[in-house]
Amino acid sequence: MEKDWKLFKKKLGGWQEAYMDRLIEEYKDILNSDASSFDKYCTLRKKIYDDYKSPGVLARDVSRSNMFIILLGLLRDEAITMDDLDGFSDELKEDLQQLLK
């Protein structure tokens, strides 16, 4: 489990950066749409508000005891995939897969 924790700390920032890059592209699509300025603003505001709650944007209370919950949230929000967990213990990956079913 210590190996998983060290790997998690090493990868979390990169995962969040990649996820936010993807979100920024989605924000650009909203802004470049044919909708009215008001609709663009409202849509973008709601999306940013909703996205802010994602662990892909902000993982709160990062600790060993919360690592599993954060990983589960990243997977559920599609900020990462199971392929991103290469190098983590099989036990951790199996536990996460069970909860994602």
Side-chain angles (χ1 to χ4, degrees):
M1 203 61 167
E2 183 65 23
K3 178 184 167 203
D4 288 337
W5 170 243
K6 287 180 180 179
L7 190 54
F8 172 74
K9 287 192 311 183
K10 180 180 176 183
K11 291 188 172 233
L12 181 60
W15 288 338
Q16 289 176 309
E17 281 292 318
Y19 182 67
M20 286 186 271
D21 286 343
R22 194 172 87 212
L23 292 177
I24 287 169
E25 291 304 314
E26 292 174 18
Y27 301 158
K28 287 178 186 177
D29 290 343
I30 292 168
L31 293 171
N32 292 326
S33 73
D34 292 333
S36 70
S37 295
F38 178 78
D39 288 341
K40 288 179 191 181
Y41 172 81
C42 291
T43 301
L44 184 60
R45 183 175 185 272
K46 181 179 182 337
K47 177 140 182 59
I48 290 172
Y49 177 79
D50 291 343
D51 292 340
Y52 181 74
K53 299 173 194 175
S54 168
V57 173
L58 178 64
R60 294 167 180 83
D61 301 322
V62 178
S63 65
R64 282 179 179 85
S65 61
N66 290 335
M67 177 184 71
F68 186 83
I69 297 298
I70 293 169
L71 285 170
L72 189 59
L74 290 168
L75 288 163
R76 284 189 174 154
D77 288 348
E78 298 178 354
I80 62 171
T81 66
M82 288 303 293
D83 291 340
D84 292 312
L85 299 178
D86 190 39
F88 284 85
S89 69
D90 290 338
E91 179 183 356
L92 176 67
K93 291 188 278 190
E94 289 168 13
D95 289 346
L96 288 164
Q97 284 179 323
Q98 286 298 318
L99 288 173
L100 290 171
K101 289 183 180 182

